[in-house]
Amino acid sequence: MKTIITVAALFFVVSISQAQKNFYEAIEANGETTTYEGFAGKSANGDGTYNFERGVPAVKLTVKRLATGQPVGFKAVPVLENYGGFSETELSDYGRVDSYPNVMSIKHDYTDDGYMMIDDLLFVVDNIPDNGVPKLGNVTSIFVMVKDRAETKAETGKKKKKKGGLLGRMKAKLKNAGRKTSPAFKYIKTVNIEKKFNDYVTAMKTKQAIPLTSKDKADIAKIKRAREAGDEEIKRYNDSIRATPAHKKLVAHQARMKQMDNNNAKKTVTIINKTGKDIYVYKEGSRNGTRINSNSYTKVDCSFNYTYKFDSNSGGAGSSCYTANSGCDRSVTIK
C-alpha cells in the first residue's frame, strides 16, 4: 500500500511538471498582443503575498525565433512611454538560457540579471546563478498580464455592470497601468507569489532532468551556429573597416586622445542602477542629470558629489548616491 501511494505521488509530481509551460510557451500562450503592467519595490506580507511600492512602464512581449523556428529570446516593448523596454537573446554575446528546450530563465551572462515567465507573470531577477536556482529574494519587479479579472463580493457587495465597452475599459486600464487602483495591482497583491515561484522552479527542474532528444540536440546546435555566424559576419565587417585609411587615421587619433587622458589621470566611479526604474544622476552644482536606465550603468568623474532622482522634473536636491573621492576606480550600486 505504501509503495502504491509513493508511486502515485511521484506520478502526480511528474504530471504537474509536464504541464508547466517554459519561458517561451508561457509568453505565446498569453498572446503577443497582451499588455503587462509592471510593479516594483516589493515587500513581503509574511503569508506568501507581497505588496509593491511603485509602478513600472507597461510593456508587450514578443518571442524572437530563428528562421528555422527555434525560440532564442524575447523583447519587451513599452506600450505608452518611449522608455522602459528591455530584451534578451541567445544570439547576443552574453544572452543565455539556463536549459533547453525546457527554458526556465534567460539572462545576461555577464551581469547574471535576467527574466522568468511564470504563467501570467514576468519576473525580473538579479543574480541568477549558472545552471542554478533563481531566488525569489532577488526579484526586483514583476509584470502582470492585463486581462478581465472578476471582482470579489468582498470588494463590491455584488457584481457591477461594466460600462463603456471593451475599448473604453482597455483605455482605462492602460491609463491606470502600474497604479495602485488598477485591477492588475489588486490581483498581484492576492497571489501567493512565494508558492507560485517555488512550485514553478521545482516543476521546471524536474522537466530539465529529462534527457535531451536528438531533436533537442539538433536545435541547440542550430542556435549555436546562428550565434557563431553572427559573430563571424561582424568580424568580417570590422576587418574590412579596419583596413581602410580612414580607420587607421581614426585609430591614431584615438591613441593620442588616450595618451592625453592618461596624462590628465582623470579617475572615474561607475554608478550602477539596480532600483528597477530609470534614474537621473546629478553632479553637484549641475541642473542637468545623466539618465541611467534600469539595470544599466554610467561612469562619472569621481571627484564630485552626486545625487539621483526618479523624475527629472521633480524639485528638491535628490538622494545622495556618491561622495566625492570616496570610490575612484570602483563602483557604486543604487538599489
Side-chain angles (χ1 to χ4, degrees):
M1 182 67 178
K2 193 172 186 180
T3 302
I4 294 174
I5 292 175
T6 301
V7 172
L10 179 61
F11 177 76
F12 177 75
V13 171
V14 172
S15 298
I16 294 296
S17 300
Q18 291 296 328
Q20 181 64 63
K21 295 181 178 65
N22 67 37
F23 185 91
Y24 302 117
E25 290 171 340
I27 294 177
E28 294 188 327
N30 294 340
E32 295 192 347
T33 61
T34 300
T35 297
Y36 295 80
E37 293 180 22
F39 302 96
K42 75 180 194 309
S43 57
N45 294 321
D47 59 354
T49 65
Y50 285 77
N51 202 357
F52 297 84
E53 294 179 357
R54 58 185 183 274
V56 180
V59 298
K60 292 182 184 290
L61 304 180
T62 303
V63 174
K64 295 182 178 182
R65 294 180 175 275
L66 296 180
T68 49
Q70 289 75 20
V72 291
F74 83 106
K75 185 175 183 179
V77 180
V79 175
L80 297 179
E81 293 84 354
N82 57 3
Y83 64 93
F86 48 90
S87 64
E88 196 61 80
T89 171
E90 286 192 82
L91 300 187
S92 68
D93 288 340
Y94 294 103
R96 298 293 184 270
V97 296
D98 63 325
S99 182
Y100 188 93
N102 298 307
V103 177
M104 177 168 63
S105 65
I106 184 170
K107 71 171 184 175
H108 189 284
D109 207 35
Y110 182 76
T111 65
D112 286 336
D113 299 339
Y115 310 89
M116 297 170 65
M117 189 77 206
I118 307 178
D119 299 330
D120 56 356
L121 306 177
L122 174 68
F123 291 73
V124 181
V125 191
D126 282 355
N127 301 318
I128 299 177
D130 293 337
N131 300 318
V133 178
K135 296 180 179 179
L136 180 57
N138 291 341
V139 172
T140 59
S141 58
I142 300 177
F143 287 80
V144 184
M145 177 182 173
V146 174
K147 60 182 178 181
D148 287 332
R149 303 185 188 279
E151 295 177 324
T152 65
K153 292 183 179 180
E155 293 173 333
T156 63
K158 59 181 180 178
K159 191 176 181 68
K160 294 181 179 179
K161 183 178 180 180
K162 296 180 179 179
K163 299 179 181 180
L166 178 61
L167 181 59
R169 295 198 302 274
M170 286 306 297
K171 285 183 177 179
K173 286 177 182 178
L174 290 180
K175 184 178 180 181
N176 290 326
R179 298 181 182 177
K180 294 185 177 181
T181 57
S182 73
F185 179 73
K186 293 178 182 178
Y187 165 71
I188 192 62
K189 290 205 305 179
T190 68
V191 176
N192 189 328
I193 294 176
E194 185 174 326
K195 182 177 187 305
K196 193 177 189 71
F197 188 92
N198 292 336
D199 287 352
Y200 174 78
V201 170
T202 299
M204 289 304 295
K205 280 299 181 182
T206 300
K207 291 186 72 171
Q208 290 176 353
I210 299 173
L212 296 177
T213 65
S214 56
K215 180 181 181 304
D216 295 336
K217 295 177 181 179
D219 287 345
I220 292 172
K222 288 178 182 178
I223 294 172
K224 183 178 180 181
R225 284 198 299 272
R227 181 166 57 241
E228 291 173 347
D231 291 342
E232 290 170 1
E233 184 62 30
I234 292 171
K235 184 177 183 300
R236 282 195 295 271
Y237 175 78
N238 289 341
D239 287 345
S240 68
I241 294 297
R242 293 188 186 100
T244 64
H247 180 75
K248 292 178 180 178
K249 184 177 180 180
L250 175 62
V251 170
H253 173 71
Q254 290 174 335
R256 289 193 298 271
M257 295 301 294
K258 183 177 180 180
Q259 185 60 46
M260 290 174 62
D261 288 341
N262 291 337
N263 292 339
N264 292 333
K266 181 179 179 180
K267 295 184 179 294
T268 62
V269 59
T270 301
I271 299 180
I272 304 171
N273 176 16
K274 289 289 187 179
T275 64
K277 296 181 66 175
D278 296 347
I279 63 174
Y280 296 84
V281 172
Y282 295 82
K283 183 171 69 174
E284 184 179 23
S286 175
R287 298 178 60 184
N288 297 320
T290 299
R291 179 172 168 175
I292 308 179
N293 294 333
S294 175
N295 292 321
S296 187
Y297 66 91
T298 190
K299 291 181 180 292
V300 295
D301 188 337
C302 68
S303 60
F304 290 87
N305 296 322
Y306 291 87
T307 58
Y308 75 94
K309 300 179 184 178
F310 289 105
D311 184 355
S312 61
N313 295 319
S314 65
S319 302
S320 175
C321 61
Y322 175 75
T323 303
N325 300 312
S326 63
C328 294
D329 296 329
R330 293 191 294 174
S331 64
V332 174
T333 301
I334 304 175
K335 297 184 178 180

